Amino acid sequence: MGEFMTGTKQCGTETLGRRNQIGSPSDRRTPPSPLDGQEAAGILERARAWVDPELRRAIESLPGSMRRIALYHFGWEHADGTPAAGNAGKAIRPALVLTAVRALGGRHAGAVRAAAAVELIHNFTLLHDDVMDRDTTRRHRPTAWTVFGDADAILAGDALQALAQRLLAEDPHPAASTAAARLANCVVELCAGQHTDTAMEKLGPDEVGLDECLAMAEAKTGALLGCACALGALYAGASPGDVEALDAFGREAGLAFQLIDDVIGIWGDPSRTGKPAGADLIARKKSLPVVAALASGTPAAAELAELYAVPYKEGDPGELERTVLAVERAGGRDWAQGQAADRMSRAMHELSRAIPDPESAGGLLALAEFVTRRSN
């Protein structure tokens, strides 16, 4: 991923020592302080510390059956209900909410419910996606549907979506009702994107266009990251133009995130990703590198189309390796990394429209770098 990392490095490293930081829960009454050089990992850790108590309170309010599944999904309980010190995810979306508030001069403490609502929506989509995609592993443990069954996992996801809307409905912040409407519209867009994704799986290798695939990825991934940034802007009392610029920033960064995520899905290390190697290729999913490779018009594209035209051969140990090599030789990996760099450039432009001061924008730059410079 060297090419892509080079393409994005300049966007944020010059402000590395001056990024805005989400404060710890103990400094609710203190004014924002400039970041002292901590990386995005510190921002994410602090966001988790702010948001997890709100998430736990919301989930604890669920009926017992739904609560058990949700706590398992977040990594806070084992399947038998005993406590677990699991991984609840990186908290990228709530961190974007809180960091956007701070960047625009607001108080992140007042936006914790909005940040938790975004994280609940994200996990609602994960529970449903795992069922639809038949993914068996998430965050290095069995997915909820494999433990509790399809119906229970779907219902738990529905409950998380309801909790998200309730958090905003009960939030006294003046921006809460506007935020709730925006988040509801985002959920509709997420569902439309997922519908397009599942419909694509029924099409042949030569029936999916690259523009259609990019639009689907923006709806599935970019929409929620954009919404997270927009909610932060709303809670900071930003102008409509700045709200839209933050939404566009998140969408472009989200599309870059999805491009890199698709690359990791093919070439990532399973011991670090928590997912089986090449699972998308085995399922014949039309991820962005695959669609780009199929559209390349190269001999490798023709080979890939032949492989994708039939189900994966479980008994052929070389099948997966041939598919991975075909995608790479047809340019799918290089295209995805280059496209991700381009999307990050667009994201930086949108961010500068709303927050022209690099010092104020630093926390958002750090998070954008983090999600697009991953290697696992």
Side-chain angles (χ1 to χ4, degrees):
M1 279 209 242
E3 176 187 345
F4 172 66
M5 291 167 68
T6 301
T8 60
K9 187 175 181 180
Q10 187 177 359
C11 296
T13 51
E14 64 184 3
T15 60
L16 190 59
R18 301 173 297 173
R19 293 173 181 145
N20 287 349
Q21 175 178 330
I22 298 170
S24 64
S26 62
D27 70 356
R28 289 176 184 264
R29 294 179 177 81
T30 59
S33 58
L35 203 150
D36 58 3
Q38 288 186 344
E39 296 282 356
I43 299 174
L44 295 168
E45 182 180 356
R46 291 171 183 273
R48 190 95 263 168
W50 274 98
V51 172
D52 275 1
E54 194 71 47
L55 288 173
R56 283 181 176 271
R57 278 192 292 271
I59 290 170
E60 289 292 344
S61 73
L62 291 173
S65 57
M66 295 297 96
R67 181 170 65 248
R68 179 184 173 194
I69 300 164
L71 289 170
Y72 172 83
H73 169 75
F74 274 92
W76 295 329
E77 282 189 3
H78 296 295
D80 62 3
T82 56
N87 175 15
K90 295 182 177 69
I92 291 167
R93 291 152 190 84
L96 285 171
V97 175
L98 299 176
T99 307
V101 170
R102 195 68 170 266
L104 287 162
R107 294 181 64 254
H108 59 267
V112 172
R113 286 188 182 180
V118 170
E119 185 72 345
L120 287 167
I121 291 296
H122 174 53
N123 282 276
F124 140 69
T125 67
L126 296 183
L127 281 162
H128 283 203
D129 284 0
D130 285 344
V131 173
M132 287 183 275
D133 296 341
R134 311 314 287 171
D135 286 339
T136 58
T137 306
R138 179 172 295 282
R139 299 167 182 161
H140 304 277
R141 67 202 309 234
T143 46
W145 72 268
T146 66
V147 176
F148 301 100
D150 290 2
D152 284 356
I154 291 169
L155 290 169
D158 293 340
L160 295 187
Q161 183 186 173
L163 287 179
Q165 291 296 336
R166 191 176 75 189
L167 278 178
L168 293 178
E170 296 176 348
D171 191 349
H173 194 283
S177 61
T178 304
R182 195 174 194 107
L183 189 59
N185 287 334
C186 179
V187 171
V188 173
E189 187 174 357
L190 290 170
C191 292
Q194 180 65 18
H195 180 268
T196 300
D197 189 23
T198 55
M200 282 181 180
E201 299 313 308
K202 301 173 185 175
L203 301 176
D206 59 345
E207 295 179 298
V208 177
L210 201 47
D211 289 343
E212 181 185 11
C213 199
L214 283 166
M216 176 272 294
E218 180 180 341
K220 279 193 62 176
T221 305
L224 190 55
L225 268 70
C227 184
C229 295
L231 261 58
L234 285 170
Y235 271 69
S239 69
D242 286 349
V243 171
E244 295 310 317
L246 263 290
D247 184 275
F249 160 74
R251 283 175 179 271
E252 294 291 355
L255 190 47
F257 171 93
Q258 186 60 57
L259 285 153
I260 295 303
D261 198 60
D262 284 354
V263 169
I264 292 170
I266 298 173
W267 292 279
D269 181 355
S271 68
R272 302 177 73 182
T273 65
K275 294 184 177 182
D280 286 354
L281 297 181
I282 291 171
R284 299 307 193 225
K285 286 187 69 67
K286 297 173 184 70
S287 64
L288 287 161
V290 168
V291 175
L294 289 168
S296 68
T298 62
E303 179 187 356
L304 180 61
E306 284 186 25
L307 290 165
Y308 255 58
V310 296
Y312 177 74
K313 299 182 181 70
E314 292 286 351
D316 185 348
E319 169 90 358
L320 180 58
E321 183 180 358
R322 286 196 299 273
T323 308
V324 171
L325 289 174
V327 176
E328 186 150 15
R329 288 200 304 268
R333 186 176 190 170
D334 288 342
W335 175 87
Q337 291 172 343
Q339 182 71 202
D342 178 64
R343 295 293 173 166
M344 276 301 299
S345 177
R346 299 185 195 187
M348 296 306 105
H349 171 71
E350 295 293 346
L351 181 60
S352 68
R353 287 174 51 209
I355 311 171
D357 176 29
E359 182 175 348
S360 298
L364 290 169
L365 285 169
L367 292 173
E369 281 186 342
F370 174 82
V371 300
T372 55
R373 293 182 64 186
R374 300 171 305 145
S375 61
N376 56 69

